Amino acid sequence: MRDTTADVRLAEILHGGPLEDITYFASETYLYSRKHGLTDRWLAMYDALPDVTPSSIDLESMVRIGTRDDVSEEQYQNILAAARTQIPWRKGPWSLFGVEIDSEWRSDMKWDRLLPHISPLAGRRVMDVGSGNAYHCYRAYGEGARFVLGVDPHPAYFFQYRLIQHYLRELPVFVVPVTLDQFPSKSAWFDTVFSMGVLYHRRSPFDHLFQLFESLRPGGELILETLVVDGEEGYALTPPDRYCRMHNVWFLPSVATTESWLRRCGFENIRTVDVNVTCQAEQRTTEWMPFQSLIDGLHPDNPALSIEGLPAPKRAITIANVPA
C-alpha cells in the first residue's frame, strides 16, 4: 500500500505521543481491512484527480477551495464527476473549484451558533468526534487551530474527506475512520473536543462522556451538541422504536439532564449556550443528498411532532471544561 503525504505527516505529528498508534487507522492497509466494496474505485478516483493549486482558500466564512477560473473545463468536469460519485453529501456546504456542493445539512449554521461561545481555537489541538467528512474540522483550522483530528467510522464520509484533502493536503487536518472506542484510553491530549450529533446514537451516553473527558487535557473544553427534549432534571426520552425514522436513537435528555450527566462525569463550568429547533432551512433534501431528510421524519399533520408522534428535533449546545 502507498502512504500519502497526509499519512506521513500524521505519523510525524503523533510520534511519541499517547495517540501514536492511531496512525494505522489512516492508512490504506486499514481501509482495505474494512472490506468496503468501493475502496478500489474511490482510491482510483483520487489518483485521477487533476493536480491543481487553488489560487485562494477560505476556511473562515465558508469552506471554499479555489475558484472556477483555476481549472480548465476538463479539470472542472473531472472534479465534478468525482464529487458526484460521493453522493450523498451530509455535511457542508463545500465550494471546490466552482463545484458547489449543497449538502443536506447547512453545517455552517451550527458553526455560526456555537463559535461566539467557545474558547478561541487559535493554537489548540482539536478533535471532532463524529466528524463526518471533516467540514467542522476545516472550519476549526480556519479559526487558527494548530492540529485537527476528525473521528468517524463511516468509510463513505472518510472518502469524501479524502477528496477534499487532495487539495488541502498540506494542512494539519486529518480524519481516521474509526470510533472513539478504538482510541487509547485517558490520552488527555486535546485542548478542545467537539461531539456533535453523536450522544443520542450511543447506547451508553455515560461511556461516551467519560471518553470525551479522558481525551481532554486538564482545563480542556468540550463542545457537546445533541438532541434534547423539554423536561426537568432527570428526564430523558427513550424512543420505543425509531425516532424521525432513525433506528439508532437511544436517549433524548432534557437540557438539565444533559448538564447533570456532564457533572456526574467530572466536568465543570457547564453552560448550555444554545437551544434550537431544527428547521428545514438547515436540514433538507438537495441534489447532493436526494434521499429522505428532516421533512420526511416529521408528522405530516403536525411538524411539532416526529412522524412517530414524539417531540420534533430540538438541539442544544452545551459547553463544559475538564478541571484544571
Side-chain angles (χ1 to χ4, degrees), residues 104-268:
E104 175 189 18
W105 280 94
R106 284 286 307 275
S107 304
D108 54 329
M109 295 174 68
K110 182 182 298 184
W111 187 255
D112 289 343
R113 288 198 298 271
L114 67 85
L115 191 60
H117 303 287
I118 68 175
S119 297
L121 296 176
R124 294 169 81 94
R125 291 188 291 221
V126 176
M127 179 165 65
D128 183 11
V129 180
S131 62
N133 56 23
Y135 176 84
H136 288 125
C137 295
Y138 285 113
R139 295 302 303 269
Y141 183 77
E143 292 298 319
R146 64 179 166 125
F147 171 81
V148 189
L149 182 69
V151 180
D152 197 295
H154 299 289
Y157 301 152
F158 176 77
F159 283 114
Q160 289 179 356
Y161 153 73
R162 284 286 293 266
L163 171 61
I164 300 299
Q165 184 202 44
H166 185 81
Y167 297 104
L168 298 177
R169 67 189 71 160
E170 298 304 319
L171 302 187
V173 178
F174 308 91
V175 172
V176 287
V178 296
T179 69
L180 201 55
D181 297 330
Q182 294 167 271
F183 271 52
S185 62
K186 301 182 180 179
S187 62
W189 197 71
F190 292 96
D191 303 295
T192 299
V193 170
F194 293 87
S195 173
M196 301 192 290
V198 176
L199 187 66
Y200 49 87
H201 290 313
R202 304 294 291 171
R203 296 183 188 182
S204 174
F206 281 98
D207 285 347
H208 182 64
L209 293 176
F210 276 122
Q211 288 173 324
L212 298 172
F213 184 95
E214 293 171 351
S215 68
L216 283 158
R217 64 160 178 79
E221 185 169 270
L222 170 68
I223 297 93
L224 178 72
E225 190 262 7
T226 190
L227 288 169
V228 295
V229 291
D230 295 332
E232 300 299 320
E233 182 175 339
Y235 178 73
L237 172 65
T238 300
D241 185 18
R242 292 176 179 259
Y243 176 72
C244 288
R245 298 188 185 273
M246 295 183 289
H247 69 277
N248 57 344
V249 175
W250 295 94
F251 295 97
L252 304 178
S254 66
V255 169
T257 298
T258 303
E259 293 179 351
S260 72
W261 288 354
L262 288 164
R263 282 193 296 272
R264 182 66 184 270
C265 292
F267 288 95
E268 64 180 19

Side-chain angles (χ1 to χ4, degrees), residues 14 17-25 184:
L14 299 182
L19 297 180
E20 182 175 22
D21 290 344
I22 72 166
T23 303
Y24 168 70
F25 298 127

